[in-house]
Amino acid sequence: MTHRPPLLLASASPRRLALLRALGLEPQVRPADVDEELLPGEDPHDAAERLARAKAAAVAATAPAGAVVLAADTIVVLDGVALGKPRDDEDARRMLRALRGRAHDVVTGVALARDGEVVSGRETTEVVFAPMTDEEVDAYVASGEPADKAGAYALQGLGGLFVERISGTPSNVIGLPFRLVRRLGAEVGFPL
């Protein structure tokens, strides 16, 4: 078995941790304290990568030598506008009503940092929502699942009931595109 350096996950996301564990990895969780607001006029696709790089750099500043820091930021984009995590239940309802019966992009920026080097990229997946009734929106919001999810839904949970189809990498919609992580990992000497 290949020796791997320590992996630090610059995220508190249980979904990202579960995805890494599914790959047989056991990272140390070190959430980054970074302002996740988009800059005025910033394209959401660019923002996802910028935020991932900022998170990786923040955690790498205190990482032990040789450790690999993995950071990611996922943004749901509808009509060119970023849908972040809902502020409250009414905001979640607003987002879900806007998404229902329509296509949107899920973009995840990923950055890996090791010994002063930062590599990054982004993955975009198109998601098409099925039509949803107001009652379905209300019931889904009442489940609590949308509370901390970009775009107010989780593909891997109850939200998957409303996803008609996806075009792209499924793991990207959950928050960590495997093929991009694999490519970036190879660039910093962390083969998967």
Side-chain angles (χ1 to χ4, degrees), residues 5-23:
L7 177 64
L8 309 180
L9 175 60
S11 173
S13 167
R15 294 159 300 281
R16 290 191 180 113
L17 180 59
L19 286 168
L20 290 170
R21 285 179 171 161
L23 294 176

Side-chain angles (χ1 to χ4, degrees), residues 58-181:
V59 172
T62 60
V68 174
V69 176
L70 186 152
D73 193 82
T74 300
I75 299 176
V76 172
V77 184
L78 178 66
D79 298 330
V81 177
L83 300 181
K85 296 175 183 176
R87 292 180 304 278
D88 54 29
D89 286 355
E90 191 50 46
D91 196 33
R93 284 185 198 88
R94 179 191 60 79
M95 288 183 194
L96 291 165
R97 287 181 188 126
L99 292 171
R100 64 184 173 187
R102 302 191 54 209
H104 62 276
D105 286 342
V106 176
V107 59
T108 300
V110 176
L112 273 76
R114 185 176 190 192
D115 296 330
E117 176 185 10
V118 180
V119 297
S120 65
R122 66 185 90 157
E123 184 86 28
T124 301
T125 302
E126 183 185 66
V127 178
V128 178
F129 255 42
M132 298 171 71
T133 66
D134 286 343
E135 292 77 18
E136 288 172 321
V137 168
D138 290 343
Y140 183 46
V141 170
S143 77
E145 186 176 88
D148 67 339
K149 314 292 188 302
Y153 75 94
L155 174 70
Q156 73 281 13
L158 293 172
L161 293 169
F162 308 110
V163 173
E164 199 166 272
R165 68 180 177 277
I166 66 169
S167 177
T169 307
S171 65
N172 183 47
V173 182
I174 301 170
L176 198 62
F178 285 155
R179 99 179 135 192
L180 178 57
V181 171

